[in-house]
Amino acid sequence: PSTLLGLPVVLALDTDSDPSAAGPPPDGIADYLDPDQDPPHVVERLLSFASQRHAVFRTLLEAESQLRAIVEGISDGVMILDERDRVLYANPAVESILDRPLYAMIGAPSPLSLPEDSPSVVSFERTSGEETFLRISSIPILWERRNARLVTIQDITAERSIQETLRRARDEAERIAGLKTSFLANMSHELRMPLASIIGYAQIILEGTETEEHRDFAGSIVDSGNRLLETITSILDLTRLDAHAVHAETRPVSISAVVFEATAMLSALASRKGLRMDVEKPGGDDTVVTDPSILRRILANLIGNAIKFTEKGGVTVRIEADDEVVRTHIADTGKGIDENFLPTLFDEFTQESSGFGRSHEGSGLGLAITRRLCDVIGADIRVDSTPGEGSTFTLTIPIDQAWSD
């Protein structure tokens, strides 16, 4: 024997000098040369092929070593089971997950009862009595020329614990939200009834007294009571919207007709402030299928807000219709909205001017309610504003194609 390129090589030149060369080649000999028949170039070629095979063999050994290192280093358990579910191989993670030594598992029946479906989550009791949850996957493979199954095991006990904690937290949050909704609805109702009586008696006093001081007192009670009643009503409406207790009753509605109703209702408020109010309606059908009362309230809120925050100039309502949507633009010449406030414009209880020195009264619920009412009827609302020049709110309502056809 000799060595060529790190390979074991056996050369049998003749049977007389090396009696071991006589007869069949020994086990492990891949190529055999007959010195009487094989010329030198054949010898060279066979040695080259042997070198290449050895290189491939070494590469396979290295790949196997790397793969074994990976399998034995991962945190997921890996087992190979034979046809009778006996353990042929298990990586160290199996020992940790199942709380059983490897030497006791190799060759023994699998400590896991494998589910029929893959992957599946099963409950497993460790030797300490602790319950764990395992995600198990299984696929058929060939292992050392025999049918086997590759089983991967993940310990998801911590994951299940987190999910259960989140579920309990979600249930508790929903319970508290339900209590809040019920509380606000009940309290709003309980406050509105006596407040309406207070306002009513104050109005009677206002109409029946001739003393100027008493009239001022009664007028303050009526004004303050109406503001408080408006706030309570807004809270009740917001509560009903959050509880999805408001439902649209749709029918064909002319947008321009509802706009004229809303502007007529608010024209006196605009006149008291010396503001003009214009309605622009180009030709074309502006009929949509929606809830007219909800639409009327949305437009009244937007137009009323425009009047409230405008001190000079006026408010213009412009209606545009095409084949798919009807857009209503409510533009004012007020002070505008700062761009930093725009992202929170439709949030509850938010106003750009806040604190005791705020420029306008209000609960900060009007636009929040408007946005939710838009959601009920499937409308979209957007705002464009330039500080010092004014704001434009755009209400977009899709046309029901079944109706328009």
Side-chain angles (χ1 to χ4, degrees), residues 88-255:
L88 301 177
Y89 168 83
N91 71 339
V94 173
E95 184 176 45
S96 173
I97 293 173
L98 302 184
D99 194 24
R100 285 165 172 76
L102 288 179
Y103 68 83
M105 287 189 287
I106 302 299
S110 170
L112 282 174
S113 296
L114 299 182
E116 294 182 0
D117 297 330
S118 179
S120 294
V121 175
V122 300
S123 174
F124 180 76
E125 184 175 344
R126 297 161 63 94
T127 54
S128 62
E130 177 187 1
E131 184 184 27
T132 60
F133 292 92
L134 308 177
R135 182 182 289 116
I136 299 176
S137 299
S138 172
I139 59 172
I141 63 169
L142 280 176
W143 178 264
E144 297 178 349
R145 300 182 181 180
R146 58 196 298 188
N147 292 327
R149 279 199 291 174
L150 171 64
V151 179
T152 58
I153 309 168
Q154 289 179 300
D155 188 344
I156 60 169
T157 305
E159 178 183 335
R160 285 284 293 258
S161 177
I162 294 173
Q163 290 177 349
E164 180 64 20
T165 301
L166 291 175
R167 186 193 63 78
R168 288 198 297 265
R170 184 184 66 249
D171 292 345
E172 180 65 12
E174 291 176 352
R175 186 185 69 83
I176 293 175
L179 289 176
K180 182 199 74 170
T181 300
S182 177
F183 171 79
L184 290 176
N186 291 333
M187 288 303 297
S188 296
H189 177 74
E190 293 299 324
L191 289 172
R192 289 175 68 185
M193 296 302 294
L195 186 58
S197 299
I198 293 173
I199 294 173
Y201 283 121
Q203 288 174 333
I204 293 174
I205 295 173
L206 180 63
E207 295 171 358
T209 184
E210 297 180 355
T211 305
E212 188 65 25
E213 184 178 16
H214 291 172
R215 289 180 63 84
D216 290 341
F217 289 159
S220 296
I221 294 174
V222 172
D223 292 341
S224 299
N226 283 327
R227 281 180 50 196
L228 183 57
L229 183 60
E230 181 181 349
T231 300
I232 293 172
T233 301
S234 296
I235 293 176
L236 179 59
D237 291 342
L238 188 64
T239 301
R240 294 178 64 237
L241 286 166
D242 284 341
H244 305 288
V246 178
H247 304 286
E249 297 181 3
T250 60
R251 62 179 177 84
V253 178
S254 169
I255 296 289

Side-chain angles (χ1 to χ4, degrees), residues 158-392:
E159 178 183 335
R160 285 284 293 258
S161 177
I162 294 173
Q163 290 177 349
E164 180 64 20
T165 301
L166 291 175
R167 186 193 63 78
R168 288 198 297 265
R170 184 184 66 249
D171 292 345
E172 180 65 12
E174 291 176 352
R175 186 185 69 83
I176 293 175
L179 289 176
K180 182 199 74 170
T181 300
S182 177
F183 171 79
L184 290 176
N186 291 333
M187 288 303 297
S188 296
H189 177 74
E190 293 299 324
L191 289 172
R192 289 175 68 185
M193 296 302 294
L195 186 58
S197 299
I198 293 173
I199 294 173
Y201 283 121
Q203 288 174 333
I204 293 174
I205 295 173
L206 180 63
E207 295 171 358
T209 184
E210 297 180 355
T211 305
E212 188 65 25
E213 184 178 16
H214 291 172
R215 289 180 63 84
D216 290 341
F217 289 159
S220 296
I221 294 174
V222 172
D223 292 341
S224 299
N226 283 327
R227 281 180 50 196
L228 183 57
L229 183 60
E230 181 181 349
T231 300
I232 293 172
T233 301
S234 296
I235 293 176
L236 179 59
D237 291 342
L238 188 64
T239 301
R240 294 178 64 237
L241 286 166
D242 284 341
H244 305 288
V246 178
H247 304 286
E249 297 181 3
T250 60
R251 62 179 177 84
V253 178
S254 169
I255 296 289
S256 56
V258 180
V259 167
F260 283 123
E261 289 180 17
T263 53
M265 182 175 57
L266 296 168
S267 59
L269 178 61
S271 298
R272 284 198 297 268
K273 298 185 69 173
L275 302 176
R276 72 176 189 278
M277 181 175 293
D278 302 319
V279 177
E280 299 177 0
K281 181 189 177 300
D285 187 17
D286 60 9
T287 301
V288 298
V289 176
T290 188
D291 187 308
S293 60
I294 293 179
L295 176 60
R296 187 179 302 109
R297 183 167 182 189
I298 292 172
L299 291 171
N301 285 350
L302 294 176
I303 297 172
N305 250 24
I307 296 172
K308 176 180 178 181
F309 291 98
T310 301
E311 300 303 325
K312 61 180 180 178
V315 177
T316 300
V317 183
R318 187 175 73 258
I319 304 169
E320 298 176 347
D322 57 33
D323 294 336
E324 297 182 354
V325 298
V326 177
R327 294 183 180 88
T328 306
H329 307 277
I330 298 95
D332 62 60
T333 57
K335 66 176 185 177
I337 305 169
D338 188 274
E339 63 178 358
N340 295 323
F341 183 71
L342 286 176
T344 60
L345 182 64
F346 295 99
D347 293 348
E348 302 94 334
F349 304 105
T350 59
Q351 286 186 316
E352 185 174 8
S353 175
S354 59
F356 292 107
R358 60 183 177 172
S359 56
H360 296 83
E361 298 294 338
S363 60
L365 292 175
L367 288 178
I369 292 173
T370 301
R371 163 62 65 82
R372 284 166 171 74
L373 289 173
C374 288
D375 293 339
V376 172
I377 63 173
D380 178 69
I381 183 170
R382 298 181 184 274
V383 59
D384 294 306
S385 185
T386 302
E389 298 183 9
S391 305
T392 299

